[in-house]
Structures are given as structure tokens and as C-alpha cells.
Amino acid sequence: MLHGIIMEIQANEILSIIGPANSGKTSFLRTLNRLNELQTNVTMEGTVELDNQDIQKIDIELLRKRVGMVFALPTPLPLSILENVTYGVKMHGINNKKRLRDIAERALQQGYLWDEVKDRLHESAFKLSGGQQQRLCIARTLAVEPEVILFDEPCSGLDPISTAKVEEAMLELKKNYTMVLVTNNVKQAARVGDRTAFFLSGDLIEIDKTDKIFTAPRDQRTDDYIRGKFG
């Protein structure tokens, strides 16, 4: 349960969100594109705005096009690599083969996967490694050109090399996208976050520039968590 969260996410930043299990990190993330509405036992109060517009007043399909999400476990579709990337684009009415190919190439390049799959686009996505599948899911999200990308522990099941590639992609994507990263890896938060927010028991304890959170936090609980005293 979240309590009175008030914050502003800035354009073209990576906002890292850290905190122990059951602190509300994922619930907060799912609130940003109304995924919590899929759960029958959730009640919500307050307002979330995207570019000064209440997201409750935005068509749900349009909202999820503008605010994409990448989950902890890769979720490729039982289709080819190319069809995975263009799946969402086709749902929005684009069917020209050349345009779809161009969109797929751009998205795969942004997801740091193009060089690894450009000669096997018609192979099953399930033939990719776990790290490649996660970058494929990022590319699929990028293909529909969102404004905001939500990452829910995207590297939790990945090896260090795959994690580094995902982080490299995120840092490059920051030029054109706003990103919110929920992570249980405080080192990852420190590596990629412009700002970091610390959640505890559904409360936002503090939010500040990442270097300040990790060197001189205002709240002792933040310092204790970062130092591994709990969590």
C-alpha cells in the first residue's frame, strides 16, 4: 500500500527507485500506466498526471503506448524476432512491410540487439538467450515510440554481461525518453540513475540526486538500507 506519494518525474531522466521488498516500488510503477486497475482488490486515491493531463482521462490503449513497461522476466511472444518487435506497431494500424522493417531495425538498434539478430530476424524469439530476450522486450516497447519507459527489475534474472548491455541501452535511451527504474540492486541504481527515490513500507522516504542519496542521504533509514543494514 502506498501512502501520500508526491513527486515529479523529470523529462529525459532515469529515476531509480530502491527499497526493500514490499515497500511499494512495483505498486508505484504500475500506477503510472494504470496496470493496478487490472487487480480487483486495489483502491486508489489522488492523481497521476502525464504532461499535466490526468492519466485517468487518457484512453487506456493510448496511455500504455505513451508509457511502456518492461517487466522483470522477459516475455517474448511465440513469434519471430521481427514479429515480436512489430507486434504493437501492427496493433496501431501500421502494416507496410518496409515501414515495419525500418521500425524494427531502429528499435533493435536502440535496444542494443540489432547486431546480434540482424541475420536471424525470422527465427523464433525463444532461440534468444535470456539477456537477448530482455533487450528484445525493450525493443518491442521502443517500437511504438513511448514517451516514458517503466522498468520493473529488468535485470533481476540476467548475468553481469547482459545486465551491462541493458544498462548501456538505458543510458543511451535517456536522450529521447524518460525512464523509471525499479531495482533491488542499489549498485545499479547508483550506476544509471540521475535521481533516486527510497521507498519504505509504502512511504516515499526521500528523493534526491543519486550521488547525494548515496553519499549524504537526509534520512538515517536511507543510509541504513544502502549500507545493507536491512532489506
Side-chain angles (χ1 to χ4, degrees), residues 142-153:
L142 293 169
V144 298
E145 298 185 326
E147 299 166 37
V148 180
I149 307 173
L150 312 176
F151 292 91
D152 188 9
E153 299 180 34

Side-chain angles (χ1 to χ4, degrees), residues 32 48-55 58 62-63 66-67 147-148:
L32 300 181
V48 177
E49 294 184 350
L50 175 62
D51 294 335
N52 298 315
Q53 183 180 8
D54 186 344
I55 65 170
I58 302 175
L62 176 59
L63 175 66
R66 294 175 65 186
V67 184
E147 299 166 37
V148 180

Side-chain angles (χ1 to χ4, degrees), residues 19-56:
N22 301 313
S23 60
K25 305 186 301 295
T26 295
S27 293
F28 173 75
L29 204 67
R30 292 170 64 91
T31 299
L32 300 181
N33 70 349
R34 294 172 55 186
L35 276 177
N36 281 335
E37 293 179 13
L38 300 176
Q39 301 181 32
T40 56
N41 61 341
V42 172
T43 58
M44 292 176 286
E45 296 178 359
T47 303
V48 177
E49 294 184 350
L50 175 62
D51 294 335
N52 298 315
Q53 183 180 8
D54 186 344
I55 65 170
Q56 293 293 332

Side-chain angles (χ1 to χ4, degrees), residues 167-215:
E167 291 178 2
E168 186 177 3
M170 292 177 68
L171 291 169
E172 184 67 24
L173 290 170
K174 186 175 66 172
K175 297 175 183 176
N176 299 305
Y177 302 92
T178 299
M179 286 169 280
V180 184
L181 167 68
V182 162
T183 178
N184 286 324
N185 185 336
V186 294
K187 292 182 179 179
Q188 181 176 65
R191 286 193 296 266
V192 304
D194 296 292
R195 291 191 302 153
T196 295
F198 173 55
F199 279 49
L200 182 64
S201 300
D203 293 315
L204 172 61
I205 303 303
E206 64 179 298
I207 179 171
D208 211 327
K209 291 182 179 179
T210 294
D211 57 355
K212 186 172 182 180
I213 287 287
F214 280 86
T215 58

Side-chain angles (χ1 to χ4, degrees), residues 81-115:
I81 295 168
L82 179 64
E83 289 170 322
N84 262 270
V85 179
T86 58
Y87 184 82
V89 178
K90 289 180 179 178
M91 289 184 65
H92 290 287
I94 297 175
N95 291 297
N96 179 276
K97 287 186 177 181
K98 183 180 185 306
R99 189 175 177 193
L100 289 172
R101 169 79 183 213
D102 290 345
I103 289 171
E105 180 175 346
R106 172 188 58 78
L108 287 165
Q109 286 177 339
Q110 289 181 315
Y112 278 57
L113 187 59
W114 173 250
D115 289 341

